[in-house]
């Protein structure tokens, strides 16, 4: 599997964590605009830890979430262990968010 | 520093779904450029993709328009033509695989169906771009390249194509009306057809490379 495909898979896993958590509105992608739309629809504020974590993950996977043409060139740094760690933190945060509602 | 526009705006293909693609070619790290707005490349990386003959190099070579040059020169023009693109079989197979992963996720009951349809649009668009450049030798970098491959075009209703395009815009730009269950159902009913079309392109690209 190419690095680019790994990044799509990483995004798929992040969205699965969020979209199976029971929040009302589905997260559609990890671009800044998609995150804002999702947060607004689910009454998540920009100060919430969950929003910060998703923004952090989005930053790590940014090119995947926004552009398509240049993705052909495989011009990305390696998907780091950092993203896996962030996903684990995201899982914990999602549990707390849903339990608190 | 060199700044270029490329993409739909340079082709005059402007509609409400269009964004403006901007490229910044910079020396080292340059924090003045927001990566949400610019594709940011170093000079050496641009030279490398030119030597590889990558589709993105061809895209820039054929469409990019210079907006600003700190040295007064058009850096991309000075590079001349990129090398011949020879990886269309591998790239087509890669995008076929991306389609396959998204289709499998949907079949397995994904809770992120808009994202999966967005990935399908990405795969459809990019396999068509690679095919047009590598096999047909008539590069088409537009969002609708899949519908412009003449005898190899994707034969689906324009409404279906617009739905997966809408999913792409929702996923990447957070803009647009959500797809209803009925609309998603209509797209899902066409995924086998899209899969067969992709398989044909992959097979043709492979034959061209190995004959």
């Amino acid at each position: 599997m190419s690095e680019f495909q790994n990044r799509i898979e990483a995004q798929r896993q992040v969205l699965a964590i969020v979209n199976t958590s029971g929040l009302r509105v589905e997260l559609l992608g990890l671009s800044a605009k998609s995150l804002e739309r999702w947060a607004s629809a689910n009454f998540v504020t920009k100060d919430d830890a969950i929003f910060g974590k998703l923004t952090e993950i989005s930053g790590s996977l940014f090119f995947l979430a926004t552009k398509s043409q240049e993705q052909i060139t495989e011009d990305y740094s390696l998907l780091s262990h950092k993203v896996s760690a962030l996903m684990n933190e995201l899982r914990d945060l999602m549990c707390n968010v849903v339990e608190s509602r | 520093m060199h700044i270029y526009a490329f993409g739909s705006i340079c082709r005059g293909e402007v509609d409400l779904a269009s964004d403006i693609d901007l490229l910044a070619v910079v020396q080292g790290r340059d924090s003045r450029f927001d990566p949400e707005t610019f594709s940011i490349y170093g000079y050496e990386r641009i030279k490398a993709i030119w030597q590889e003959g990558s589709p993105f190099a061809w895209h820039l070579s054929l469409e990019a328009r210079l907006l600003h040059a700190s040295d007064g020169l058009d850096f991309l023009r000075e590079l001349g033509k990129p090398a011949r693109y020879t990886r269309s079989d591998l790239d087509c197979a890669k995008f076929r695989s991306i389609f396959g992963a998204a289709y499998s996720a949907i079949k397995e009951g994904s809770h992120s169906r808009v994202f999966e349809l967005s990935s399908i649009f990405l795969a459809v668009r990019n396999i068509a771009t690679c095919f047009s450049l590598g096999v047909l030798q008539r590069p088409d970098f537009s969002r609708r390249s899949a519908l412009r491959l003449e005898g190899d075009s994707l034969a689906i209703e324009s409404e279906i194509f617009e739905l997966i395009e809408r999913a792409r815009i929702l996923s990447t730009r957070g803009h647009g009306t959500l797809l209803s269950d009925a609309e998603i159902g209509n797209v899902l009913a066409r995924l086998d057809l899209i899969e067969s079309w992709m398989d044909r392109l992959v097979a043709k690209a492979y034959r061209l490379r190995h004959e």
Side-chain angles (χ1 to χ4, degrees):
Chain A
M1 192 183 284
S2 75
E3 180 188 315
F4 176 44
Q5 289 163 288
N6 282 335
R7 284 173 177 264
I8 291 184
E9 187 54 37
Q11 187 172 197
R12 178 173 287 123
Q13 289 173 24
V14 171
L15 293 184
I17 293 168
V18 175
N19 291 336
T20 56
S21 67
L23 286 180
R24 195 171 62 88
V25 178
E26 173 185 344
L27 178 60
L28 308 175
L30 290 179
S31 66
K33 294 280 172 59
S34 290
L35 286 177
E36 282 172 18
R37 178 180 178 137
W38 170 83
S40 171
N42 287 299
F43 306 104
V44 171
T45 73
K46 289 189 175 179
D47 296 330
D48 285 338
I50 186 74
F51 188 83
K53 193 59 63 187
L54 283 167
T55 302
E56 197 176 352
I57 294 172
S58 168
S60 300
L61 298 172
F62 181 77
F63 289 109
L64 173 70
T66 57
K67 304 291 182 185
S68 56
Q69 284 297 321
E70 63 268 37
Q71 286 165 1
I72 296 169
T73 69
E74 300 281 355
D75 191 22
Y76 304 101
S77 59
L78 287 171
L79 182 62
S80 68
H81 293 299
K82 180 184 167 192
V83 174
S84 300
L86 288 171
M87 278 199 263
N88 287 331
E89 292 165 23
L90 177 67
R91 272 189 202 94
D92 293 340
L93 285 169
M94 286 308 307
C95 290
N96 295 337
V97 165
V98 173
E99 282 170 9
S100 68
R101 292 185 177 209
Chain B
M1 167 180 72
H2 292 79
I3 302 173
Y4 291 86
F6 65 99
S8 58
I9 197 166
C10 293
R11 295 189 295 271
E13 294 173 356
V14 180
D15 57 35
L16 290 175
S18 302
D19 59 355
I20 297 176
D21 293 307
L22 294 169
L23 169 74
V25 189
V26 299
Q27 200 77 57
R29 293 182 69 87
D30 193 329
S31 57
R32 292 174 299 174
F33 292 101
D34 177 1
E36 288 261 4
T37 305
F38 289 87
S39 297
I40 307 168
Y41 280 69
Y43 288 96
E44 293 309 311
R45 184 63 189 134
I46 289 287
K47 287 177 186 169
I49 66 169
W50 238 251
Q51 285 169 4
E52 292 163 12
S54 83
F56 188 48
W58 276 101
H59 186 176
L60 293 174
S61 167
L62 294 170
E63 290 191 349
R65 300 286 177 271
L66 181 66
L67 300 178
H68 173 79
S70 55
D71 59 3
L73 299 173
D74 188 335
F75 171 69
L76 297 184
R77 292 291 162 275
E78 302 269 318
L79 291 175
K81 269 188 179 182
R84 186 163 165 263
Y85 174 52
T86 58
R87 303 174 33 98
S88 62
D89 58 334
L90 299 175
D91 285 338
C92 285
K94 179 175 70 177
F95 289 113
R96 168 65 180 88
S97 173
I98 287 169
F99 170 89
Y103 195 6
S104 294
I106 290 170
K107 284 177 181 169
E108 289 161 12
S110 170
H111 288 76
S112 310
R113 293 191 299 180
V114 171
F115 167 74
E116 299 302 349
L117 294 181
S118 165
S119 297
I120 283 173
F121 182 80
L122 178 146
V124 164
R125 176 185 180 172
N126 284 334
I127 198 173
T129 294
C130 294
F131 189 85
S132 72
L133 176 63
V135 178
L136 301 181
Q137 310 279 308
R138 289 193 303 274
D140 187 328
F141 301 104
S142 73
R143 285 200 307 270
R144 300 195 150 225
S145 52
L147 308 178
R148 298 175 176 174
L149 302 178
E150 298 179 3
D152 295 303
S153 293
L154 173 60
I156 59 170
E157 302 89 334
S158 58
E159 309 90 75
I160 301 296
F161 189 85
E162 284 159 12
L163 288 173
I164 57 172
E165 185 177 29
R166 200 164 104 209
R168 183 70 188 160
I169 293 166
L170 278 163
S171 182
T172 56
R173 293 183 230 157
H175 168 73
T177 306
L178 276 178
L179 278 69
S180 66
D181 286 342
E183 287 175 325
I184 290 177
N186 289 339
V187 176
L188 299 189
R190 289 290 182 273
L191 292 185
D192 282 342
L193 188 153
I194 294 175
E195 186 172 47
S196 300
W197 168 76
M198 294 187 100
D199 284 341
R200 284 200 302 277
L201 296 197
V202 170
K204 280 195 173 184
Y206 181 86
R207 279 202 300 275
L208 181 75
R209 172 88 172 254
H210 296 278
E211 277 173 0

